[in-house]
Amino acid sequence: MHSSVIEAENGTASPPGAAGPPVYPPRPPAATDTVVPGFVEALLRNQEELHGVLTRVATAQAATDELFRSLRALSGAPWEVLRNAPRRLGRLATFLPSNNLLYSYVLFGVIPSLYTDEVRIRPSARVAPAAMAVHEILGPHLRGLGGGRIRMAPVSQRRFLADCARSDAVVFTGQPDNGREVAARLPGDALLLTFGSGPNPLVVGPRADPDAVCRTVLAARLYNSGQDCLCTDIVFVHRSLVREVVPRLADALAEVRVGDRRDPDTRVAPLVYPDAVQDAAAFLATHRDFTVHGGRVDLARHVVEPTLLHLPWQEAFHPPEFFSPVVLTMEYDDPGQITRWLHSAEESARGMYVSLFGEAALAGRTRIATSVVCEERITFDAEDGNRPFGGYGPRAGSVHRHGTATGRPLLLSAEAGTGIRT
């Protein structure tokens, strides 16, 4: 997930604690056995219109995947709520990310509405029209089914932070530094979940199949042109496979279709975020000597060519979040190098997932440092909207309450079971 930085604005929000949580009239819990099937039906009935909205900011391939992931999360919602037994919330305030608009609407709006009287959503300013269009298509169906109220409005930061201060729980999706700014504006006993990002490294060990792992790398890196927090930002390749894997990746990238995001055959499209294009251009210029394939950037058209860079081992190197179709490989000799890298202060802070392919020395663990281990799977295989998301790095995702931030995988219904105000 990725969100723009909080917009600068003069003035401050209402002082934390100036007003207590609002008092809501009692309402019976939403009937999941009627709301969920009805909403699934509404989503299916409107899937073509929704797909058209989603492709304003996502490739057609990613939009189709998002529709299916949304259906899966909705189908699992009754089980999720039954398993976690969240307490009834009066109000939830959500900062919607600027990608995965439908999926995020389901995860942070529709499913929480099953145990929340009111959900207030602030869309990212970058994609507010598209986010509002999703809500305008689906919101009336949820209300007609008797689900919780969802109100979405592109209000100012100042106004929304005031709403947050009067809410039982807050979900923030975006840059960790901005999440801390939100936490500073909330009462001490407020429940805040901040969803950040991490590099999600992928390890290609000596026993990996070169052809299969190349397909896997592209799936992990090029989802929605690389514009997703689950995309892999660095691929560690064992020295014994470098001469097989790197040329294969270069050849595969040369065949990647670049074009209109609405075209089902397009894998890489113009990027939605101008700053992501600029950041990619700066990184590629700095590391020009390591370019194996591609490297061209069209700033005017927001196009970053599918690019492959290969670096020698550098233990002090920590990749940026590219949010673009840049594949970065780094050679390693010993799995101990990977372990030390993941235990570094930088990576411990932003640990989400680490994917292992053919590296037996690192297998059999649930996590390494703060990164959750995915054996023979990429992050998109492991992600499940009805289970806690992410790793244990505090910058990747954390729960804030009583002035303390704890990094751990996050799921609102699980945290609401014990973490709301009493």
Side-chain angles (χ1 to χ4, degrees), residues 399-419:
V399 181
H400 298 247
R401 200 163 186 231
H402 298 302
T404 300
T406 304
R408 61 170 174 251
L410 302 177
L411 181 65
L412 178 61
S413 63
E415 298 295 340
T418 57

Side-chain angles (χ1 to χ4, degrees), residues 11 68 94 107 111 177 180 188 214 242 257 272 277 294 332 355 389 398:
F68 285 125
T94 294
L107 295 188
I111 295 177
D177 292 340
R180 285 194 291 271
C214 285
V242 166
R257 173 75 173 271
V272 175
V277 183
Y332 79 99
S355 297
F389 171 88
S398 52

